[in-house]
Amino acid sequence: VDSAELIDGAVDNSHMAAMAASKLTGALPAISGAALTGLKAGSGAFSSRSTNSWTAIATNAIVGFNNDSTGDSFDTDGVYNTSTYKYVAPAAGVYMFWYSVYTAEADSDNGFGYLKNSATLNFQMDGDNVFSRWNGSVDDHLQSATIVVPLASGDTMAVCATKEGDYYGGHSQWGGCRLA
């Protein structure tokens, strides 16, 4: 049997078990991604800030970032809660988070870290789980930290004080996104 004996349409999907990709030539039709499986939906990116005031904060309390919609603040998937100040992971994956907290107001010792679900993240050999700390000066300053962490769908992340102190919300912000 050769091509002269086969009419157009005689070889259909039921007659073909597989075909090497190298056999495909010419203009190929557009391919829809609708049937793809195993992909993670959404990026979960956000950036939030706070109000223009000094706030006293206790050890392990969550820093109150309550604005994700003005200026350059945003929440692409609507998963950052401006009432609880927690980011809720929309899917399992690896995430990156950052913060910049303006602090001091005469405090000589203060620190900040991350709260995953209800526990501070423990990435250091420090029992306080501090990601940024200032000790010995009462000068106002910014504390910043970045972390990459795996999360399951529904896990929450927040910024928390690891030392009692004060922060100025007008110069403080945090955010994050899913990397993979």
Side-chain angles (χ1 to χ4, degrees):
V1 176
D2 61 23
S3 60
E5 296 167 343
L6 294 175
I7 61 171
D8 282 346
V11 179
D12 58 18
N13 288 344
S14 67
H15 293 93
M16 193 176 310
M19 177 186 288
S22 63
K23 302 280 187 207
L24 299 174
T25 61
L28 299 175
I31 299 173
S32 168
L36 297 176
T37 60
L39 301 177
K40 295 177 182 168
S43 66
F46 79 102
S47 178
S48 186
R49 55 181 157 180
S50 192
T51 57
N52 292 330
S53 63
W54 282 100
T55 302
I57 190 165
T59 301
N60 295 325
I62 295 175
V63 179
F65 297 102
N66 61 1
N67 183 335
D68 64 2
S69 61
T70 61
D72 290 325
S73 296
F74 62 91
D75 183 3
T76 60
D77 288 359
V79 294
Y80 179 70
N81 188 318
T82 56
S83 298
T84 64
Y85 319 123
K86 293 181 178 183
Y87 172 83
V88 181
V94 177
Y95 290 78
M96 187 273 310
F97 296 97
W98 59 271
Y99 67 76
S100 181
V101 177
Y102 189 90
T103 186
E105 194 186 34
D107 292 332
S108 62
D109 187 13
N110 49 51
F112 297 89
Y114 293 100
L115 188 71
K116 178 180 175 183
N117 298 322
S118 60
T120 54
L121 287 179
N122 181 2
F123 276 78
Q124 298 183 5
M125 298 300 289
D126 178 339
D128 295 329
N129 297 329
V130 174
F131 274 77
S132 63
R133 184 173 182 181
W134 182 271
N135 189 334
S137 171
V138 295
D139 296 336
D140 292 356
H141 62 280
L142 280 171
Q143 291 188 30
S144 300
T146 303
I147 188 168
V148 174
V149 61
L151 296 178
S153 179
D155 279 351
T156 62
M157 289 291 292
V159 177
C160 66
T162 55
K163 299 280 184 184
E164 178 180 284
D166 299 289
Y167 70 94
Y168 185 73
H171 300 317
S172 300
Q173 58 279 328
W174 92 294
C177 65
R178 193 183 73 221
L179 300 174

